[in-house]
């Protein structure tokens, strides 16, 4: 949604008085679908499961966003603590499955978008489709495949 806002919605409002609009292919690539919403909802579930413990480890009083290294250290610290790790494991059982499912879903959605985007060069379309399918099938094999 943020990408669509930055690349389509905001520029569209600025250039609309000039009679211009974003390219249809860009709008098609960034259009949200029900499948996209499901993937985002799953990702939100994952964040809700592990976010509180990471925030607690970082110290909720911080007024600025933490540095990526601080987040990595906080997660590492949680994983090193046996009790915390057990608590997290009980709270996030299945999170790896959800993560893989979200990743594969996003990659497969990229395939669908590439297949349905007019004006995309054939070589680019083929690279996107083949690459995304291969990675999606590697992290979560397709049903029946």
């Amino acid at each position: 949604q943020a990408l669509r806002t930055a690349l389509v919605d905001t520029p569209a409002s600025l250039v609309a008085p000039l009679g211009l609009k974003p390219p249809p292919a860009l709008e098609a690539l960034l259009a949200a679908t029900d499948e996209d919403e499901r993937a985002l909802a799953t990702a939100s579930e994952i964040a809700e499961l592990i976010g509180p413990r990471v925030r607690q480890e970082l110290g909720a009083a911080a007024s600025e966003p933490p540095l990526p290294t601080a987040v990595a250290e906080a997660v590492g610290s949680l994983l090193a603590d046996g009790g915390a790790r057990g608590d997290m494991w009980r709270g996030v059982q299945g999170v790896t499955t959800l993560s893989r499912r979200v990743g594969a879903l996003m990659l497969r959605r990229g395939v669908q978008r590439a297949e349905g985007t007019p004006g995309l060069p054939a070589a680019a379309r083929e690279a996107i489709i083949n690459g995304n399918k291969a990675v999606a099938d590697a992290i979560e094999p397709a049903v029946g495949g």
Side-chain angles (χ1 to χ4, degrees):
Q1 184 63 34
L3 188 58
R4 178 178 172 76
T5 299
L7 296 177
V8 175
D9 300 337
T10 301
S13 65
L14 297 173
V15 298
L18 303 173
L20 301 172
K21 61 181 185 174
L26 182 62
E27 288 183 328
L29 277 172
L30 298 175
T33 65
D34 290 342
E35 195 169 327
D36 295 334
E37 295 302 325
R38 280 192 300 275
L40 291 171
T42 302
S44 292
E45 287 178 36
I46 293 169
E48 289 173 13
L49 288 171
I50 64 173
R53 292 298 297 254
V54 172
R55 279 191 296 278
Q56 180 183 0
E57 186 69 25
L58 287 170
S63 60
E64 295 181 12
L67 295 172
T69 54
V71 174
E73 289 173 10
V75 171
S77 176
L78 285 172
L79 293 175
D81 177 350
R85 189 173 53 245
D87 290 345
M88 283 181 58
W89 175 249
R90 284 186 289 282
V92 297
Q93 284 181 348
V95 76
T96 54
T97 301
L98 287 174
S99 311
R100 285 194 315 268
R101 189 168 296 141
V102 168
L105 181 63
M106 299 305 278
L107 290 163
R108 290 185 178 114
R109 183 64 187 127
V111 168
Q112 292 172 345
R113 287 178 186 252
E115 290 173 337
T117 301
L120 188 62
R125 181 185 320 273
E126 185 177 335
I128 292 169
I129 290 171
N130 292 340
N132 282 10
K133 280 183 179 179
V135 175
D137 288 344
I139 61 174
E140 184 189 48
V143 175

